[in-house]
Amino acid sequence: MLESDGVVNVLHGKGAFVRPPAAITRLARSRLSRAARAKNEGAFLADARAQGFTPSSSVRVRFEPADARVAELLGIEPGAEVTVRDRVMRANGLVVQLAVSRLPREFTRGTAIEEVNTGPGGAYARLEEGGHIIGTYTEDVGSRMPTDEERSQLQLPPGTPVLTVTRIAYREDGIPLEMNDMILPSDRYRLTYEWAAD
């Protein structure tokens, strides 16, 4: 039995799996807005609400020195301590996104950002409560073949590429607050962007 609308799939010899919708549309319009955060519907939760899948995630928090790439993107010295939030996101029980956020520890020390549960509105809400008002985001989108570990975690068929998205959240004064590296299965995601014509 195979279904593509979020119901159970039974594959001969493979067991039963709960599948997400055929394609998750990642809407850029309001998924990171303050209004969405106030309703505790930021990012992945907003996508889930709009498309009717049940979201879940697992989170690991750790601290590490910034390597050269992280230091450059966050505007900090190599070796400076960063808070790492490593998340596995699921839709209807199936892993559909891997996301690793890194933030300068100077912005997270003593806040719920260093806890598994960041509270309503997530890490961005906690940053703004601490006076770090977000002014802009940038996203760099690419694609590549997954690593063996990514292929296993995402249960990808052989030969399926992944989409890569690196988002940086900047404070109103232009200081980088967070970088988020996301891995999305290309056969399960559409990235949709909208912006005003000024």
Side-chain angles (χ1 to χ4, degrees):
M1 178 175 66
L2 288 173
E3 302 284 345
S4 61
D5 57 359
V7 302
V8 173
N9 294 284
V10 178
L11 306 175
H12 181 69
K14 297 288 186 181
F17 300 93
V18 179
R19 303 292 296 186
I24 296 173
T25 301
R26 181 180 174 275
L27 303 170
R29 181 180 341 139
S30 60
R31 66 197 315 268
L32 299 174
S33 69
R34 288 183 184 89
R37 290 198 301 272
K39 294 187 291 185
N40 202 29
E41 292 179 358
F44 190 61
L45 295 178
D47 293 341
R49 183 172 186 268
Q51 295 164 71
F53 62 83
T54 301
S56 61
S57 64
S58 52
V59 181
R60 288 185 304 137
V61 179
R62 65 182 187 273
F63 308 97
E64 66 185 24
D67 64 19
R69 174 179 174 265
V70 170
E72 180 181 0
L73 291 177
L74 289 177
I76 58 179
E77 290 295 318
E81 192 172 31
V82 293
T83 300
V84 181
R85 297 184 55 80
D86 193 340
R87 299 175 307 286
V88 177
M89 329 278 263
R90 296 174 180 84
N92 295 343
L94 181 71
V95 175
V96 294
Q97 183 181 150
L98 308 175
V100 180
S101 292
R102 291 178 172 85
L103 306 92
R105 185 100 194 265
E106 65 179 295
F107 300 143
T108 67
R109 190 174 278 107
T111 73
I113 297 170
E114 297 190 351
E115 305 296 328
V116 168
N117 183 354
T118 56
Y124 291 157
R126 302 295 79 77
L127 284 168
E128 293 202 329
E129 286 173 357
H132 306 292
I133 306 303
I134 299 167
T136 58
Y137 301 97
T138 64
E139 287 194 346
D140 181 73
V141 180
S143 65
R144 61 171 170 78
M145 296 308 293
T147 65
D148 289 342
E149 182 179 358
E150 291 165 350
R151 185 180 300 109
S152 175
Q153 282 187 284
L154 293 166
Q155 300 177 19
L156 295 175
T160 304
V162 293
L163 300 171
T164 61
V165 181
T166 298
R167 179 174 63 235
I168 302 176
Y170 293 91
R171 203 164 63 185
E172 286 181 315
D173 60 3
I175 292 182
L177 295 170
E178 179 237 23
M179 61 173 287
N180 186 356
D181 286 317
M182 293 161 271
I183 307 296
L184 313 171
S186 64
D187 63 341
R188 295 175 212 154
Y189 259 93
R190 285 178 46 200
L191 307 184
T192 301
Y193 295 89
E194 176 182 304
W195 57 90
D198 292 330

